[in-house]
Amino acid sequence: MAHSCVLLKHGEVVLKGRNRGRFEELLQRNLRTALDGLDGPVRIRTSRSVTVLTGPVPVERMLERVRRVPGFSVIQPAVAVAKDPEAVADAAVGLLRDRPVGAGSFAVRARRRDKDFPMRSGELAALVGARVQRELGLPVDLTSPSVEIAVEVDRNEVYLSVERLPGQGGLPVGASGRAVVLLSGGYDSPVAAHRAMRRGLRCDFVHFTGAPYTGPSSAYKAYALVRELTRYQPDARLHIVPLGTAQRSLATAGAGRLQVVAQRRLMVRVAGELARRTGARALVTGDSLGQVASQTLSNLATVDQASPLPVLRPLLGWDKTEIMEEAERIGTAGISRLPDEDCCRLLAPPRVATGTTPGQFIRLENRLDVERTVGELLDRAQVMRPGRDEGEDGRENAGAEDVRAGAEDVRAGAVA
Ligand code: ATP
Ligand code: MG
């Protein structure tokens, strides 16, 4: 009996040689987690570089989830039929009959993953094509058809599909280890996080607020952003760190035009310590070279010098318009667009130094006692898990309830 299913084509995992087994395992685990909680059991079957999903769940619901799992390059809603050429032809006719092709043309592309199938790919395509032509009166056009029917002969079944949706591509999350993302409320850092996830980094997040000198709006946005991003990665921690007092100390210690870069140096030190505690091996930021004064080459280098770990900048070569488009595509733009009180604007000097060197920060940071400050900031951090069910962070964190409720409003506003 013909039934609908979803085909997931494995992306780069396929190229992994000796490590392929480990990558495939991660991919399957992430897939299972992504499908958790759908109202019905989904059967997952994998043979070589294709995974097939079947079950009583509407295909749309499955697609929504799997299109966000990094590691799958192409996703095809499909019909599965028995390995009988006539059944394949019937299904092809059914597929095109249900689909408005207009006066358009079609092509059948067949391939065999089961080389024992008695018919060659070309013969099967010809047979199916002839039937469609005869029954629906559509013309064949092999060079630029308006619809393409893909016929894939597998071990137990034959799959037919007319739609090829792009998957996330990239590598399964976790394949490259862990990272800590410095997440602001802006457009850039969530896009950078998504890029990092797509290259296999499992991400946790740290967000700095200007508390006690600013309100909680940026924390609400950070929470809402992380929740959006946990659709690409199963689960993530968000650390919210109140930076205001330390920012004030830097200003009092005479940071002047160095204020913003000094804050960044402090941020990477805090993030680096968090990374050490969670086993992360890199930091990720949304910096793009030259976008603003704090992102000149020398300022980036001055920040790097303070970081105990490599600072990855996936958006280094991106233009702002490219970043905004990507933010729309991955679903974070609506949240980033909302107003907030960004800690970086607090105490920002009228002109930010564009050409700094690490040496300029020695006296300033000694006055502040950076080591101690990092420890104090981490003691005051609040940890949340925005991808989880309500209540789970509430137990371990005072104030978590408020942040979650605020994020809820943010999201409602972002969606409206
Ligand atoms: P974004 O759009 O991500 O805010 P931006 O273009 O506004 O970036 P900056 O404000 O200079 O650029 O920030 C550069 C990077 O520093 C951010 O992408 C982010 O990784 C990090 N960062 C800045 N502010 C914060 C913050 N409050 N908390 C955590 N990370 C931050
Ligand atoms: Mg910003």
Side-chain angles (χ1 to χ4, degrees), residues 38-84:
L38 283 178
D39 31 281
V42 178
R43 181 152 168 247
I44 304 175
R45 243 175 333 145
T46 298
S47 69
R48 287 199 227 138
S49 54
V50 183
T51 293
V52 184
L53 307 180
T54 46
V57 179
V59 163
E60 284 307 317
R61 299 290 311 278
M62 290 197 247
L63 290 177
E64 209 175 88
R65 301 283 184 98
V66 296
R67 289 195 66 185
R68 293 206 176 210
V69 180
F72 297 109
S73 55
V74 176
I75 294 170
Q76 295 162 249
V79 175
V81 297
K83 291 173 78 170
D84 159 24

Side-chain angles (χ1 to χ4, degrees), residues 365-382:
E365 289 172 354
N366 280 342
R367 252 180 255 161
L368 194 70
D369 190 349
V370 171
E371 288 292 308
R372 208 196 57 225
T373 305
V374 169
E376 286 172 358
L377 287 170
L378 282 170
D379 289 342
R380 275 183 251 140
Q382 188 180 19

Side-chain angles (χ1 to χ4, degrees), residues 157-173:
E157 291 171 314
V158 177
Y159 304 110
L160 294 97
S161 56
V162 289
E163 246 186 310
R164 278 171 73 84
L165 308 170
Q168 287 297 314
L171 297 172
V173 170

Side-chain angles (χ1 to χ4, degrees), residues 184-186 264 342:
S184 68
R264 283 289 140 73
D342 179 9

Side-chain angles (χ1 to χ4, degrees), residues 20-306:
R20 180 164 170 181
R22 188 173 70 85
F23 281 72
E24 294 274 10
E25 208 174 289
L26 266 172
L27 189 58
Q28 297 299 320
R29 199 188 314 153
N30 293 345
L31 174 64
R32 265 196 303 277
T33 316
L35 293 169
D36 261 0
L38 283 178
D39 31 281
V42 178
R43 181 152 168 247
I44 304 175
R45 243 175 333 145
T46 298
S47 69
R48 287 199 227 138
S49 54
V50 183
T51 293
V52 184
L53 307 180
T54 46
V57 179
V59 163
E60 284 307 317
R61 299 290 311 278
M62 290 197 247
L63 290 177
E64 209 175 88
R65 301 283 184 98
V66 296
R67 289 195 66 185
R68 293 206 176 210
V69 180
F72 297 109
S73 55
V74 176
I75 294 170
Q76 295 162 249
V79 175
V81 297
K83 291 173 78 170
D84 159 24
E86 293 306 324
V88 175
D90 286 345
V93 169
L95 266 180
L96 287 202
R97 182 178 283 138
D98 295 345
R99 209 186 145 85
V101 190
S105 53
F106 78 100
V108 180
R109 318 264 190 227
R111 54 184 294 203
R112 297 181 301 169
R113 278 190 287 279
D114 170 14
K115 299 293 178 200
D116 296 333
F117 189 70
M119 226 173 186
R120 301 254 294 271
S121 301
E123 293 168 332
L124 181 61
L127 179 140
V128 173
R131 270 281 294 284
V132 170
Q133 214 174 3
R134 199 168 64 232
E135 295 199 22
L136 302 179
L138 292 173
V140 175
D141 180 351
L142 295 181
T143 25
S144 59
S146 12
V147 186
E148 232 177 74
I149 311 180
V151 176
E152 304 178 29
V153 180
D154 214 317
R155 209 154 33 130
N156 302 312
E157 291 171 314
V158 177
Y159 304 110
L160 294 97
S161 56
V162 289
E163 246 186 310
R164 278 171 73 84
L165 308 170
Q168 287 297 314
L171 297 172
V173 170
S176 304
R178 304 185 76 110
V180 170
V181 178
L182 285 84
L183 185 77
S184 68
Y187 286 97
D188 307 346
S189 36
V191 174
H194 174 258
R195 289 281 136 175
M197 289 172 178
R198 273 191 67 212
R199 294 314 300 167
L201 283 169
R202 197 185 167 91
C203 295
D204 284 316
F205 297 84
V206 57
H207 171 71
F208 297 91
T209 72
Y213 304 111
T214 57
S217 57
S218 74
Y220 298 164
K221 280 174 73 177
Y223 187 98
L225 285 169
V226 173
R227 194 167 44 189
E228 199 59 31
L229 289 164
T230 51
R231 291 162 72 176
Y232 298 96
Q233 163 188 301
D235 178 32
R237 277 187 225 104
L238 166 63
H239 303 265
I240 298 175
V241 179
L243 196 66
T245 310
Q247 290 180 267
R248 175 116 325 158
S249 304
L250 281 169
T252 311
R257 291 182 64 191
L258 301 180
Q259 178 79 21
V260 173
V261 177
Q263 285 167 196
R264 283 289 140 73
R265 283 169 62 89
L266 194 51
M267 287 182 187
V268 295
R269 286 187 165 114
V270 171
E273 178 55 23
L274 276 172
R276 197 185 59 75
R277 295 180 189 180
T278 56
R281 310 256 299 273
L283 306 183
V284 174
T285 72
D287 294 307
S288 144
L289 186 59
Q291 193 192 79
V292 290
S294 57
Q295 295 172 21
T296 59
L297 192 52
S298 65
N299 281 345
L300 296 183
T302 300
V303 171
D304 283 354
Q305 190 270 340

